[in-house]
Amino acid sequence: MRLLILGSGAREHALAHRLAGEPPVSHITCAPGNAGMAAAGSLAAVSLSDPAAMLDLAAREQAALTIVGPELPLSVGVVDRFLGAGRPILGPTRAAARLETSKVWAKQFMARHGVPTAEFQICDSEADADAVIASGRLGWPLVLKADGLAAGKGVVLAGDAAEARAVARTMLSGEAFGEAGRRIVLERCLRGQELSYFVLSDGHRAMPLGSAQDHKRAFDDDQGPNTGGMGAFAPSPLCDAALEARILEAIVHPTLAGLRAEGTPYRGFLYCGLMLTDEGPYVIEFNARLGDPEAQVVLPLVDEPLLPLLDAAAAGSLPDRPIRIASECQVGVVVASKGYPGTYETGKVIEGLDRASALEGVTVYHAGTALRDGAVVTAGGRVLTVVGQGRDFRTAIDRAYAGVAAIQFEGKFFRTDIGRKAIR
Ligand code: AMP
Ligand code: GLY
């Protein structure tokens, strides 16, 4: 069976690496892919914002199933395009992906269906925003969110009214995020610990993939600027069976049922970004895909063939049973280029990749890497995710960092405390 994987991060490498080892898979095309994905299949250039080009590629490569990694192709309707042409693809339609692509739509959807989320107000003018800010009725700090995709930078916590007004103005004027900020969500700040929870849905059923925790800030002890994610671990010790049952009952099932009732059933991976408050789990945000780096620690825990599940989800026929999840720990450390998430240099030769991969319980997934004259070089901000596996978190952390230590390149930068939160 031939597959096409869309994307070029460590999340997509984790998918390719896993699926390459499953017997029915005969070939994987990765588009655009990276140097690591070249080892799991072949690479093809494609624009992830061009649905027609992605469909052409899938036809040319005779892909029996296409798997969408990132949100960009979803936001431009790649799934609608494939379905219109009768070509199997795993991911939500453009309408269902609004859970991620429009924070305004997602908040209104949650309100319609009683899904617990922070109290909010939608504003499309400075006058509206100023009135809400002046009233103080959503408390302080106040959370301001740009409606559209903003590469993870569209959320600001403002400490007082002056700051909130200034942030609202830069968003609404288009200065901060262009069209994505022309409408904003003002919402109450939730308190508690953050947890990511994942399911695979076929539109009706939801098969739980379990929980993970991300590390969004650039530096140790959650300091410094926000990033795409500097590391993750799974499963989260915060998530016991009772909490998992509550997440499914209060959040996942009402969300999938609501989308079905509105005529836009959701197929694909659903990422629930949650705050565990004193009143139970609340949705901070949904993502219409797996997380990165969460996928790199969640996928290895799937203790049965993955391809049949992806295939069934795309076809709307997932079995009515839980996925087998291994009882072990995974810790993924992102190795980045110095300067990330700001400016950084690329083209640095990476050494020690084979040595790291040869270590027991260590897997190296590529993100911003490229091949140059036979050498693997850096080509992005997040360069690799080094994952350590173990029976306990101590072992998984030690293995991940042994892998990180084996790899060298100029400007190598990583957090040294990934997974520490999991050890109590
Ligand atoms: P996002 O870019 O949507 O993932 O949001 C970035 C981060 O902002 C989240 O991971 C949370 O830490 C924080 N955040 C977003 N909304 C809220 C909220 N209502 N209360 C507290 N923190 C929030
Ligand atoms: N790690 C967060 C995300 O993928 O959005």
Side-chain angles (χ1 to χ4, degrees), residues 232-322:
F233 58 84
S236 166
L238 300 171
C239 192
D240 60 14
L243 177 60
E244 186 156 12
R246 187 157 178 192
I247 292 168
L248 290 168
E249 186 194 309
I251 293 168
V252 172
H253 292 310
T255 298
L256 295 176
L259 287 161
R260 236 175 9 250
E262 296 190 8
T264 56
Y266 189 99
R267 284 183 187 170
F269 294 106
L270 177 64
Y271 168 141
C272 307
L274 307 174
M275 188 73 86
L276 305 181
T277 74
D278 291 343
E279 286 88 53
Y282 274 58
V283 176
I284 297 174
E285 59 160 356
F286 284 118
N287 290 315
R289 52 178 171 82
L290 283 172
D292 184 341
E294 293 93 329
Q296 295 91 296
V297 293
V298 166
L299 288 173
L301 291 174
V302 174
D303 199 16
E304 62 175 289
L306 183 63
L307 179 66
L309 300 176
L310 305 187
D311 218 13
S317 59
L318 274 178
D320 191 11
R321 61 166 178 83

Side-chain angles (χ1 to χ4, degrees), residues 134-198:
S135 77
R137 67 181 182 78
L138 296 173
W140 303 99
L142 179 67
V143 182
L144 296 99
K145 299 184 173 181
D147 177 39
L149 293 177
K153 301 190 187 91
V155 177
V156 178
L157 269 66
D160 58 37
E163 187 186 355
R165 275 198 302 275
V167 170
R169 192 167 314 120
T170 61
M171 286 185 177
L172 289 164
S173 66
E175 191 185 307
F177 306 111
E179 288 308 308
R182 295 279 185 190
R183 280 197 305 172
I184 60 175
V185 179
L186 304 187
E187 69 178 42
R188 186 179 288 283
C189 185
L190 297 169
R191 295 179 202 276
Q193 291 195 269
E194 281 188 51
L195 176 85
S196 304
Y197 191 82
F198 301 90

Side-chain angles (χ1 to χ4, degrees), residues 345-368:
E345 292 177 16
T346 59
K348 310 294 182 192
V349 174
I350 307 173
E351 317 258 22
L353 289 166
D354 290 341
R355 213 167 348 122
S357 299
L359 296 171
E360 189 186 353
V362 175
T363 312
V364 180
Y365 298 116
H366 291 225

